[in-house]
Amino acid sequence: MTMTYDAAGSQLSLSDPDAGISNYTYAADGTLLTQTDGRGFKTTNNYDNLGRLASTQIGQKTIIYPLAELYIE
């Protein structure tokens, strides 16, 4: 198994003889944007303007994460 990292320490790829090569991309702030596995399946993460995970798309399916409302008293 071989892993590569960027200068910030974020994993860029993972090479596994059984699972193939997975690749990862990140936003400038280090949040994970995409992951593509050895079979070519791509997972895309989307974030709101506060950097919270808002949705994840896996192939043609999308998971939407409801954000908790912030109450200030």
Side-chain angles (χ1 to χ4, degrees), residues 4 6 9 13-15 17 25 28 33 39 42-45 47-48 50-55 58 61 63-64 66-67:
T4 60
D6 64 14
S13 67
L14 168 67
S15 179
T25 64
L33 294 177
R39 298 171 295 165
K42 185 175 183 178
T43 300
T44 303
N45 293 319
Y47 300 87
D48 67 10
L50 296 177
R52 299 175 295 194
L53 184 60
S55 67
I58 305 168
K61 299 188 185 242
I63 301 167
I64 297 173
L67 303 173

Side-chain angles (χ1 to χ4, degrees), residues 3-21:
M3 294 170 262
T4 60
Y5 297 86
D6 64 14
S10 299
Q11 186 174 357
L12 296 176
S13 67
L14 168 67
S15 179
D16 181 301
D18 296 320
I21 299 173

Side-chain angles (χ1 to χ4, degrees), residues 21-71:
I21 299 173
S22 296
N23 293 294
Y24 309 89
T25 64
Y26 300 87
D29 65 0
T31 55
L32 180 64
L33 294 177
T34 66
Q35 174 184 348
T36 305
D37 69 17
R39 298 171 295 165
F41 288 107
K42 185 175 183 178
T43 300
T44 303
N45 293 319
N46 298 294
Y47 300 87
D48 67 10
N49 59 354
L50 296 177
R52 299 175 295 194
L53 184 60
S55 67
T56 299
Q57 183 173 355
I58 305 168
Q60 298 298 320
K61 299 188 185 242
T62 300
I63 301 167
I64 297 173
Y65 304 101
L67 303 173
E69 291 183 39
L70 176 63
Y71 294 97

